[in-house]
Structure formats: structure tokens, C-alpha cells
Amino acid sequence: MNLEQVPMVSTLLRAARDANELLLKEALRDILINGVTKEDLNSTDKSGRTAISYICSTNLVHFLDIFLQLPGIDINKSDNEGNTPLHFAAQAGQVDVVNMLLSRSRSIVVDAKNNLGFTPLMKAALQGRTKCAKLLLFAGASPVETDAGRGMRPEQWAKFCGRYSCAEMIEKCARSRLLEKTSSCKWSNDSLALDKPAVSRSRTNPSQQQSGGIRSKFRKVFPFTLPFRDKQFKEDQQTEIVQYLSAAALCASGPVVLPANGNSKIIKSIIRPLEVPKLEVTLANNMSLIKKYENSSFSEDTESIESSHRGKK
């Protein structure tokens, strides 16, 4: 389009590029009175930028509000390098503009990539625009997208440029989003399990369910069967339990661990009998026991004296 033939469009582009509020008011008044076509409204200059693209780079929020109400406005139109108005707003750190674009425009593409593969979140991370990056993440921007050149994520670009606070915020948001996904998957699996009809459970008694659960847990630890219904264990089963426990006790005392069903003779030859010292509790006034110990100590003293005299001779 030849902009010289449409003076209103050239005035709008020039006013938006220079952030001239007086010219913008005149151009918008002309548009509201005479109307404008979709092609003229989204017309570009030599760099491929539209009027709304220039406005998003500045803090002219009230003019942006008017532009978003115009029918036929293309909020995702990119320039010659592939940058959309959201790219310019995020890069410039215009928090109010980014908020208005994300909240007012339903057709906006949050993760639009330019010719180098940079998203608006990457542009905000490069410049350390933490608030803009947070708004983009809340709007659904992906923190795991990578560029086409180095293949780096937004937080990696923030660290590369020294924007450590912005990188930390993006990492925290990425972790929380990952936790939400895993928790949602867990809840969905639980809900699917709860939705299944429990036909077999209704036919069994709760006492049988409890005994079966204890039995299954016991079998995981001990590789033998136990008659839970009987009141007393049999002798062979008792010896089997003792052999298993004694073989397992060898882990702390020796390098060899025998299986539970091993040969009993080998187990008896390796395992030493456990000797427990006997304790004798007596009363304080037990005179008979006191005389006994006195006689034994007296005899030992006399024997030691006699042996010493013999040695001197």
C-alpha cells in the first residue's frame, strides 16, 4: 500500500511511532468519524510494524484501550523480524500494556515465536522484566520453549544475561506448574480407581479382607506359610521360623547367609548356641549364703599363702 495515498494511515503510523498524543487523538477522531478498513488499520511501515505495535512499546494505555475496541484490529501481526506487539511490550517492560493485551484480547498468541525462535517470555527474560514475565506465565506462557539458535529456555537466557531474580521466578513457576500437573494426574488415577464397581469386595467379609492383607504382608517377609486359622503353631513350623531367623542373624556376624530352607545340620554347625548368664538374686540377710562365700574366700586365701611359702623354700 502506498501510504502517501492514504494520509490518515501515514499520520496514524507516524504518531504511534513518535508517541505523539496530539496526532494520535486527531487520527483516532478521524477513524471514529469516517471509519477505517481492516487493511488500513493493520497497515505497516517499511519495517513491517503496525500502529498498535508502536503503541505497545510505549505506556499509552488509554490509546491501546481504544485500539483494542476497533473492529478488525490484528493483535498478532508481526513485523519483518517476526515480533508481535506482545514481543515489544514484554521487551520494553510495559506491565500495564502486557496486562491489557492478555486480559482484553482473546485471540492473542502468548507463545508466538519470531524469526529467531524467541517468545515474548524470552524477550522479557533477556531484559529482566520480572513482572511482565510473571504475567505471561500466569497467562499460560510455556517456560520450556527454546529458541532456534542456542536452544536455551527463558530462565537460561535470563541467567545468561545476568537477570538472576527473573530466572529464579521463572524456575519457581515452572516447578509449581509441574507439581500441579503431577498432582492432577494422580487425582485422575485415583478417581478412575474409585469409579470402578467393587463387585468382588461386596462378596467378601471384612474379617477375611483383614486376614488376607496381613497374610500377604507376612509372606513378603517370611517365605513360608502359617496357619492363621489355628490357635497354635505346629512344631515343624516353629523350627522353620527359628531356622529362618537364625540364618538371617548371620548377616551381622558372618559373611555367609543361608536360606530359610537350608540344611539344619549346616545351620547348627555354624551357629553357636546362645549362652545367657544366669543371675541369682538373694536377700541381704541370707546368712547361709554369706558363710558359704566366706568359707570359699578363706580357703582360696590359705591356698595362696601356702603356695607362696613353698615358693620361698
Side-chain angles (χ1 to χ4, degrees):
M1 177 189 301
N2 190 0
L3 296 181
E4 295 179 356
Q5 298 178 359
V6 187
M8 183 268 297
V9 175
S10 61
T11 303
L12 180 63
L13 285 170
R14 185 171 64 254
R17 181 186 59 196
D18 299 336
N20 193 336
E21 297 187 11
L22 294 176
L23 289 177
L24 279 173
K25 288 180 180 179
E26 294 179 1
L28 289 174
R29 186 182 299 111
D30 192 3
I31 290 173
L32 294 175
I33 294 173
N34 301 323
V36 65
T37 62
K38 182 179 179 180
E39 184 181 3
D40 294 340
L41 184 60
N42 297 312
S43 59
T44 60
D45 56 3
K46 294 181 180 180
S47 63
R49 297 186 64 174
T50 59
I52 193 172
S53 177
Y54 283 113
I55 290 175
C56 289
S57 301
T58 60
N59 198 21
L60 302 176
V61 184
H62 50 286
F63 288 104
L64 178 62
D65 189 11
I66 298 172
F67 267 93
L68 292 176
Q69 297 177 15
L70 296 176
I73 188 72
D74 189 1
I75 197 63
N76 296 314
K77 191 168 185 177
S78 59
D79 62 352
N80 297 337
E81 296 180 355
N83 295 311
T84 62
L86 188 59
H87 279 91
F88 291 106
Q91 184 177 1
Q94 302 296 338
V95 181
D96 296 334
V97 174
V98 172
N99 188 19
M100 184 173 289
L101 289 174
L102 295 174
S103 59
R104 296 284 301 278
S105 181
R106 297 181 180 178
S107 61
I108 192 169
V109 181
V110 182
D111 287 328
K113 290 188 175 184
N114 59 7
N115 298 341
L116 298 177
F118 284 93
T119 61
L121 181 59
M122 293 181 189
K123 288 282 190 177
L126 284 169
Q127 302 297 329
R129 312 298 186 183
T130 306
K131 293 183 180 180
C132 292
K134 189 179 293 185
L135 288 174
L136 290 168
L137 289 169
F138 287 162
S142 176
V144 296
E145 292 288 340
T146 57
D147 64 297
R150 294 175 180 258
M152 295 171 65
R153 297 188 301 272
E155 80 277 1
Q156 293 175 341
W157 275 113
K159 290 180 182 179
F160 183 77
C161 297
R163 320 294 186 180
Y164 298 105
S165 60
C166 185
E168 184 179 359
M169 186 276 300
I170 296 173
E171 287 179 353
K172 286 182 180 179
C173 186
R175 290 195 194 100
S176 63
R177 188 175 297 182
L178 181 62
L179 290 175
E180 288 177 0
K181 288 183 179 180
T182 53
S183 62
S184 64
C185 293
K186 183 178 180 181
W187 281 109
S188 62
N189 292 333
D190 294 342
S191 62
L192 289 174
L194 291 173
D195 292 338
K196 294 181 180 179
V199 178
S200 60
R201 293 181 182 178
S202 61
R203 295 180 180 178
T204 57
N205 295 327
S207 60
Q208 293 179 357
Q209 291 179 1
Q210 185 177 3
S211 63
I214 297 173
R215 186 179 300 154
S216 62
K217 292 179 181 179
F218 200 86
R219 284 176 180 175
K220 292 180 181 179
V221 181
F222 301 102
F224 41 76
T225 58
L226 296 175
F228 285 92
R229 297 180 180 178
D230 298 336
K231 295 182 178 180
Q232 295 181 352
F233 297 112
K234 295 181 181 179
E235 294 181 358
D236 54 350
Q237 291 173 343
Q238 291 179 355
T239 56
E240 190 177 358
I241 295 173
V242 173
Q243 289 177 2
Y244 181 80
L245 296 176
S246 59
L250 291 175
C251 296
S253 60
V256 181
V257 178
L258 298 177
N261 55 359
N263 194 356
S264 61
K265 294 181 179 180
I266 299 175
I267 296 175
K268 290 179 181 180
S269 63
I270 295 177
I271 301 174
R272 296 179 180 179
L274 182 62
E275 296 181 359
V276 180
K278 296 181 180 180
L279 299 178
E280 184 177 358
V281 180
T282 58
L283 299 176
N285 297 324
N286 194 348
M287 300 303 296
S288 62
L289 187 63
I290 292 172
K291 290 180 179 180
K292 178 181 176 181
Y293 281 109
E294 286 179 352
N295 295 330
S296 62
S297 62
F298 179 76
S299 61
E300 289 178 357
D301 293 337
T302 54
E303 289 178 359
S304 62
I305 292 169
E306 291 177 358
S307 61
S308 63
H309 283 296
R310 290 174 185 175
K312 290 180 180 180
K313 291 178 179 181

